[in-house]
Amino acid sequence: MSETRTDRPPPGIGRERQFEVYVGGARGAYPRVPVSYELLERNARKAMSPEGFAYVAGGAGAEETIRENRAAFERWRIVPRMLRDVSRRETSVEVLGTPFSSPFALCPIGVLEMAHRGSDVAVARAAAAEGIPMIFSNQASRPMEETARAMGDAPRWFQIYWSTHDELVESLVSRSEACGCSAIVLTLDTTMLGWRIRDLDLAYLPFLRGKGIAQYTSDPVFIDALQETLREAPPPAGRITLAAIGTLWDLAGAFPGSRLTNLRSGLARAAVQRFVQTYSRPSLSWDDLAFLRERTRLPILLKGILHPEDARAAVEHGMDGIVVSNHGGRQVDGAVGTMDVLPGIVEAVGGRAPVLLDSGVRSGADVFRALALGASAVGLGRPYVWGLAAGGEDGVREVIRNLRGDFDLTMGLAGCATIADIGRDSVQHA
Ligand SMILES: Cc1cc2nc3c(=O)[nH]c(=O)nc-3n(C[C@H](O)[C@H](O)[C@H](O)COP(=O)(O)O)c2cc1C
């Protein structure tokens, strides 16, 4: 049926966003955060400390995996179809009962305070306004309760790292349930930190400065355990340098309460020490998953899966979803790009659980290509952190709107009016 004045389809988020920008330009207003990824990263860099920028931008080793993620996307080519009435496009999806206005969520990203002081709360507000689920990081800069409060009943998941302290795992899970999170994402690829050359050269790890440990310092189990660390903690050894005093001052500020009290009590230093002792468990194995399965009714997704056999094992161990991820190239240098392994993983899972993908998603075409290969949705990582650095909450919102718009137009121009129209024959391997 042809379009008439009385039956005008809504423009959709893509055309809305284009017109927002172009009409703004005609009035002399330009996008506050650049639309191009390269310019956006450059603007963010200007707003961040060298250490903060290196921490976000960097990857493991020679950063081959970061480049490989992009190369793997670029090896898939979209094959647009014509004359298919794409005047109304439906971009929303539901994954494990959680609604997504467009098929992407915000990846869990730790230490957002290095991008902007609004950190997790600013991101949460932007995500909620756009109907895009936010995955709270285990290494957040703000306690999950505070972040959750900023989003009303908008969708959110919680990402957990399995520490050496099972009671802490239980406590984090039950707090996330109370915060309205509708799924748990267990990240498996960071049982140890990757060999990150940029951070090593700057001798900088944010957690040791008390940054990105807010989920711990707000946790009753962690606080109880601190007393033990305080009893055992030896006084700091070595020469007191100006830098050491600065670090202690930062630490004291990162912990709830007044800086002076925290300095005197040793609590802040003990919190970091305790965090270092407990944050990761390299011994984790498949049998441990039963512990988590028994402690929550929420769906559990395993993040960091790159092999079809691991995906199959995840489903067999009662897991509800998979996130194909190499942590944005931050863990194993020389690893496979996620888009190269997605088809094999989708086949191994065989429709028994949704498969999501992250690492290298930069455009609407990337979202489209991942969905064409069988992903239910994707995760957006570094781009929203650059938006946060460049423009706070508004910056994140613009980055989200741009990706939503870009995806909507790509989908329509490829001849797909619904997500179900995007299929394996929408792409070919270059
Ligand atoms: C600065 C930074 C911090 C991150 N922190 C976490 C985290 O706390 N938990 C987690 O599961 N993944 C974390 N990730 C990985 C992201 O969730 C995601 O897998 C990755 O950013 C995807 O790659 P991309 O940003 O290049 O697209 C982090 C990534 C970055 C860049």
Side-chain angles (χ1 to χ4, degrees):
M1 210 168 40
S2 65
E3 233 177 86
T4 66
R5 273 185 181 282
T6 50
D7 175 29
R8 192 181 292 161
I13 178 79
R15 290 167 78 192
E16 252 174 47
R17 179 65 187 141
Q18 277 176 328
F19 282 109
E20 245 171 52
V21 174
Y22 292 138
V23 170
R27 293 189 184 129
Y30 291 87
R32 276 162 298 182
V33 303
V35 177
S36 119
Y37 181 76
E38 290 71 25
L39 276 182
L40 176 63
E41 181 180 317
R42 210 178 302 160
N43 273 22
R45 183 174 200 158
K46 286 185 206 147
M48 294 172 79
S49 68
E51 291 83 3
F53 179 79
Y55 185 74
V56 177
E63 301 183 348
E64 274 178 45
T65 306
I66 294 185
R67 291 189 291 279
E68 189 59 16
N69 283 333
R70 287 306 311 153
F73 269 104
E74 287 164 12
R75 280 193 280 273
W76 290 96
R77 297 269 169 251
I78 297 170
V79 188
R81 301 297 303 272
M82 300 299 134
L83 297 173
R84 292 189 155 191
D85 186 0
V86 290
S87 53
R88 289 171 195 272
R89 296 165 308 283
E90 180 50 65
T91 60
S92 66
V93 294
E94 199 180 283
V95 181
L96 296 168
T98 300
F100 292 52
S101 63
S102 297
F104 64 92
L106 300 189
C107 291
I109 298 231
V111 210
L112 289 172
E113 68 204 91
M114 298 207 306
H116 190 273
R117 62 192 145 74
S119 66
D120 307 82
V121 171
V123 171
R125 289 206 181 101
E130 290 297 325
I132 291 296
M134 174 176 177
I135 310 178
F136 296 170
S137 165
N138 198 119
Q139 300 312 130
S141 294
R142 301 275 184 93
M144 61 181 104
E145 289 78 7
E146 203 185 323
T147 309
R149 264 198 305 279
M151 11 180 22
D153 55 8
R156 72 215 61 163
W157 291 354
F158 175 62
Q159 174 266 320
I160 191 163
Y161 284 129
W162 202 308
S163 68
T164 52
H165 195 179
D166 279 343
E167 270 178 63
L168 178 62
V169 173
E170 268 185 295
S171 173
L172 289 167
V173 167
S174 73
R175 284 172 63 197
S176 69
E177 287 175 343
C179 283
C181 295
S182 54
I184 303 284
V185 177
L186 171 62
T187 298
L188 301 176
D189 56 19
T190 314
T191 48
M192 294 169 274
L193 274 186
W195 186 254
R196 300 181 186 166
I197 290 179
R198 297 197 209 201
D199 299 337
L200 289 164
D201 271 337
L202 290 167
Y204 188 84
L205 185 64
F207 314 115
L208 299 190
R209 315 288 174 116
K211 296 188 197 308
I213 60 170
Q215 309 295 23
Y216 300 81
T217 54
S218 56
D219 192 279
V221 169
F222 185 83
I223 302 280
D224 268 359
L226 268 189
Q227 300 310 324
E228 192 186 313
T229 306
L230 266 178
R231 278 195 302 275
E232 292 167 0
R239 214 157 43 88
I240 302 283
T241 61
L242 211 55
I245 293 169
T247 301
L248 273 175
W249 188 249
D250 280 354
L251 279 181
F255 204 78
S258 94
R259 268 185 212 262
L260 272 181
T261 317
N262 292 336
L263 272 179
R264 281 205 201 98
S265 68
L267 211 59
R269 190 170 47 80
V272 170
Q273 200 164 335
R274 180 88 200 170
F275 162 75
V276 170
Q277 286 162 1
T278 56
Y279 98 94
S280 83
R281 186 188 297 202
S283 67
L284 205 64
S285 68
W286 290 100
D287 292 341
D288 292 313
L289 296 177
F291 176 88
L292 192 60
R293 182 69 289 169
E294 282 158 20
R295 275 156 187 82
T296 181
R297 283 218 199 88
L298 295 181
I300 305 172
L301 298 96
L302 298 188
K303 176 172 182 277
I305 297 290
L306 292 167
H307 196 292
E309 285 307 319
D310 285 350
R312 199 171 284 130
V315 177
E316 282 159 11
H317 283 79
M319 299 293 106
D320 304 281
I322 306 287
V323 184
V324 177
S325 170
N326 56 32
H327 215 100
R330 297 163 72 76
Q331 289 298 94
V332 177
D333 198 26
V336 282
T338 51
M339 281 292 279
D340 277 339
V341 295
L342 178 63
I345 289 175
V346 167
E347 196 188 332
V349 170
R352 290 173 292 168
V355 176
L356 285 77
L357 170 140
D358 72 31
S359 301
V361 173
R362 301 291 178 263
S363 69
D366 296 341
V367 181
F368 184 93
R369 290 183 274 201
L371 264 58
L373 295 184
S376 299
V378 301
L380 182 70
R382 289 182 177 93
Y384 86 78
V385 187
W386 302 142
L388 178 66
E393 177 186 335
D394 292 344
V396 179
R397 185 139 184 217
E398 289 206 11
V399 168
I400 295 176
R401 282 183 79 68
N402 289 342
L403 185 60
R404 292 188 63 204
D406 183 4
F407 172 70
D408 173 43
L409 292 173
T410 302
M411 177 173 146
L413 292 170
C416 301
T418 69
I419 298 287
D421 294 338
I422 307 172
R424 183 60 187 77
D425 66 349
S426 306
V427 291
Q428 66 182 36
H429 202 252

